[in-house]
Amino acid sequence: MADMVRAAVLLGPRRIEIQEFARPPVGPDHALLRVEANGICGSDVETYRGHLGKATGPLIPGHEPLGIIEEIGEQAAKRWAVVPGDRVAVEIVVPCRSCQSCLTGRYQYCRHRAVGHGVTPLSVAPGLWGGLAEYLYLSPGAILHPVDKTLPAEIAVMVNPIGAGVRWACHLGGVGIGDTVLVLGAGQRGLASVIAARAAGAGTIIVTGLSADAHKLALATEFGADHTIVVDECDTVDRVAELTDGRLADVVLELTPMATAPVTDALLAARLGGRVVLAGLKGGKEVPLRTDLIINRALTVVGAYGVDARACADAIRIIESRRFPLAKLHTHTFGLDDTALAMETLGGEVAGEAAVHVSVHPEAASC
């Protein structure tokens, strides 16, 4: 076993450096994960660009890690029911497990959590808190989900984006049989929402994107969308009204990054008594909110934060079922040395690269 661990460190906007860290000892209540792959999220890209607030210090990004249990303490093995060699996906949130929120199943809102995967600065020992590294340190509060070891790593690592689709469309959006669902945004989580809505029995699924998103909109159709709307060529709300004979959408998912206008579109495109789920981060931008729309249309508006254990479990069932051709979502694999290029590729900054799902595999060469 190597004594040193290589990791990609975010030093500031667009500044990623590969550094080495001492391999931490593993106590009875802890574990060490050998990272097979870490998915790159749109929020990672915006953080890399410096759009989502200031980091509290240099850190190792990566909140979608998948890997193999390399070392584990006796108490940790009992708690997590895993042994060396098991493959697991790891949640971003590391709750305290003892406060009122944790004990009542609302651990995502734990006020006492001190660390989180991919968001904790190096100053918090042992520093290896992010998935963009050869190894990830697992503290006692970490939440793990076993995943089928026979799946390719680039598919198995999709637990977080597929889980987001499940949570936002089904758990928060309440999509049911026959519902009309509008998904604003055709990124990997928008496509995952199509998969989740189709699995839940939605009647009509509509997905929006830009003309530059033609490859993503084509995938949306392949995964079950009935209609796609190119928003820079026509009015979203008018087209939804046309497609639904004026009934509009039962459930609207607003997933667009940084853009503010789609929030109003979401409210206008929801039917009377409809449900709107807001999950697209805007980088702190002020969003004009037409509250009269919410009141007069009797809308339910829900904010979506992250992916919880229930959504992860449902996502793993979808992935392991092999029902959907998820390999078509994955477009790029990068090695650890090319982490910055992975961010830029997913962000559409690399000419000629039509990225959808991108992951970094610490032991792999870029391709």
Side-chain angles (χ1 to χ4, degrees):
M1 288 185 199
D3 292 329
M4 303 299 290
V5 177
R6 298 175 72 244
V9 177
L10 181 64
L11 300 173
R14 297 185 178 274
R15 294 176 58 211
I16 286 183
E17 178 178 282
I18 302 300
Q19 297 184 8
E20 288 192 339
F21 299 84
R23 183 186 179 112
V26 175
D29 216 18
H30 303 75
L32 198 63
L33 185 81
R34 175 170 56 83
V35 179
E36 291 184 274
N38 187 94
I40 302 300
C41 171
S43 65
D44 290 319
V45 175
E46 298 305 334
T47 300
Y48 169 72
R49 291 170 172 168
H51 292 167
L52 292 183
K54 297 180 180 179
T56 56
L59 56 83
I60 300 170
H63 61 267
E64 299 182 16
L66 172 89
I68 304 297
I69 297 293
E70 183 87 358
E71 293 182 63
I72 190 166
E74 183 179 356
Q75 295 303 317
K78 291 179 181 178
R79 181 179 59 254
W80 290 319
V82 296
V83 297
D86 284 350
R87 172 190 264 180
V88 297
V90 184
E91 291 191 33
I92 179 175
V93 174
V94 183
C96 74
R97 294 179 179 262
S98 60
C99 69
Q100 182 182 24
S101 292
C102 287
L103 295 176
T104 54
R106 296 176 288 118
Y107 69 91
Q108 283 198 309
Y109 317 127
C110 173
R111 297 175 60 188
H112 305 295
R113 62 189 190 212
V115 297
H117 297 120
V119 296
T120 301
L122 297 180
S123 57
V124 180
L128 296 173
W129 298 106
L132 292 172
E134 293 174 326
Y135 290 91
L136 176 71
Y137 184 73
L138 299 176
S139 59
I143 301 173
L144 315 183
H145 299 274
V147 182
D148 184 351
K149 289 178 68 173
T150 67
L151 287 164
E154 64 271 17
I155 305 300
V157 78
M158 293 183 185
V159 172
N160 186 281
I162 300 298
V166 169
R167 185 163 191 250
W168 301 347
C170 302
H171 300 170
L172 298 179
V175 172
I177 295 173
D179 280 347
T180 294
V181 182
L182 172 61
V183 181
L184 299 173
Q188 55 184 279
R189 280 159 178 74
L191 296 173
S193 297
V194 172
I195 291 170
R198 182 54 66 209
T204 302
I205 302 173
I206 306 168
V207 181
T208 73
L210 299 167
S211 55
D213 297 325
H215 61 295
K216 298 177 183 177
L217 294 175
L219 278 175
T221 299
E222 191 162 353
F223 283 116
D226 300 283
H227 307 283
T228 59
I229 299 173
V230 181
V231 298
D232 43 0
E233 295 180 0
C234 65
D235 182 84
T236 298
V237 179
D238 288 347
R239 182 60 177 148
V240 171
E242 180 183 352
L243 291 171
T244 61
D245 294 325
R247 294 188 301 272
L248 301 178
D250 298 290
V251 180
V252 182
L253 310 179
E254 200 291 297
L255 313 182
T256 64
M258 308 307 290
T260 59
V263 176
T264 299
D265 287 344
L267 301 178
L268 287 169
R271 67 162 173 82
L272 290 172
R275 197 169 184 88
V276 176
V277 178
L278 303 178
L281 292 172
K282 310 304 180 187
K285 294 179 181 178
E286 292 290 336
V287 179
L289 185 62
R290 295 171 60 179
T291 55
D292 285 0
L293 284 175
I294 299 172
I295 297 167
N296 292 329
R297 300 169 79 90
L299 300 177
T300 299
V301 180
V302 182
Y305 173 77
V307 181
D308 61 10
R310 177 188 173 198
C312 286
D314 287 348
I316 290 169
R317 280 193 286 271
I318 288 174
I319 295 169
E320 292 182 346
S321 76
R322 296 167 171 81
R323 173 182 171 187
F324 295 93
L326 298 178
K328 295 184 178 182
L329 276 180
H330 183 75
T331 54
H332 294 78
T333 297
F334 291 92
L336 192 63
D337 290 334
D338 288 325
T339 294
L341 181 59
M343 301 282 188
E344 292 161 5
T345 300
L346 183 62
E349 299 178 21
V350 181
E353 298 295 331
V356 182
H357 180 267
V358 173
S359 55
V360 171
H361 301 227
E363 297 181 352
S366 297
C367 59

